[in-house]
Amino acid sequence: MPNEMPLSAETMKNFLYASTATVSMQMLKRGFRNSAVTGVRPLNPKSARLVGPAYTLRYIPGREDLDKPPMPGDPPSAQRAAIEETPAGHVLVIGTEGNTRSGTLGDILALRLKVRGVAGVLSDGAMRDTPVIGRFDFPVFCAAAAAPPSMNHLHPVEVQAPVGICGVPVYPGDVIVADEDGAIVVPRHIADEVARDSFEQERLEKFVAIRVRQGRAIPGTYPPNDETKAAYQAWLKAGEPAGG
């Protein structure tokens, strides 16, 4: 299955070089207008760069006879499965139907994910212990903070099923690319080309920014005309000098 293909080191490097703004433009060029997850923010802005395949966890609204304070002898749950089974390098994507009344994770579970090598977390719900998680060198994106535990209002039902995050569909294996602007969801089968073209767009825009700082007008510079494209190629051959 295409969604099970691991990401190459080059694709990872290309996505990490590009901003989500650039990746969103590449998605638009391919006809994808609903790929940007807005309304989520990183708990630690200094740890906001996130790239990895999605491993999903889905919650539904909780019910009092099913969702009670945890006990050591509780049977396995989808939440605990996600904590222990999300592969290293993947992004745990938690869908809550936008329920922010309870936190889906607290500092202990987030720390467990970090120690296991999970790339980060993306959720349309809330997190608990946000002052602590916000000090982790671990990207956690969410919509809100909430003190109550998840079982106050939520019930974990399954892992590795499609989820909706702020109106954007996420399928297991889709690539999540996130920074301080939010997150972009890229279907796995186009991820390599989107990453490649995002890298090239980012590099071109670096050159365009140099030209604008030099006083060049926007027409002909952005988008670049043939003259600007030729100057860009010369700049690449020169080793991308900072002064243009």
Side-chain angles (χ1 to χ4, degrees), residues 29-235:
K29 288 180 177 180
R30 289 162 173 82
F32 289 86
R33 296 179 180 273
N34 188 33
S35 64
V37 178
T38 58
V40 298
R41 301 293 297 172
L43 292 182
N44 182 356
K46 296 180 180 178
S47 185
R49 289 298 284 144
L50 175 60
V51 176
Y55 188 96
T56 65
L57 167 62
R58 185 170 73 91
Y59 282 92
I60 63 172
R63 201 173 74 184
E64 287 78 1
D65 60 332
L66 297 176
D67 300 292
K68 300 175 182 179
M71 300 291 290
D74 287 346
S77 71
Q79 183 204 48
R80 295 307 170 106
I83 298 300
E84 296 299 330
E85 296 174 8
T86 301
H90 284 55
V91 178
L92 176 57
V93 178
I94 305 173
T96 71
E97 302 178 2
N99 189 327
T100 59
R101 294 187 294 170
S102 296
T104 58
L105 301 177
D107 60 334
I108 299 298
L109 297 185
L111 180 60
R112 175 59 177 160
L113 292 169
K114 179 180 185 298
V115 168
R116 291 191 56 249
V118 171
V121 177
L122 170 65
S123 178
D124 64 348
M127 297 289 156
R128 307 174 71 205
D129 306 312
T130 58
V132 179
I133 298 175
R135 292 194 292 270
F136 289 174
D137 182 18
F138 182 61
V140 175
F141 286 76
C142 60
S150 60
M151 68 284 305
N152 244 42
H153 299 102
L154 293 166
H155 180 78
V157 288
E158 58 184 337
V159 298
Q160 289 299 75
V163 296
I165 302 293
C166 300
V168 178
V170 181
Y171 289 80
D174 284 350
V175 180
I176 306 300
V177 184
D179 61 20
E180 287 186 85
D181 275 347
I184 308 295
V185 181
V186 183
R188 178 63 188 91
H189 67 279
I190 62 170
D192 296 333
E193 64 177 75
V194 169
R196 178 198 66 210
D197 293 351
S198 295
F199 173 85
E200 179 57 26
Q201 179 185 331
E202 194 80 26
R203 191 164 58 163
L204 172 60
E205 291 187 358
K206 179 180 177 182
F207 172 73
V208 166
I210 292 172
R211 304 278 278 191
V212 170
R213 280 195 292 270
Q214 292 171 343
R216 304 270 180 166
I218 291 300
T221 303
Y222 187 68
N225 58 16
D226 289 344
E227 178 186 350
T228 300
K229 288 178 181 178
Y232 169 62
Q233 292 301 321
W235 178 73

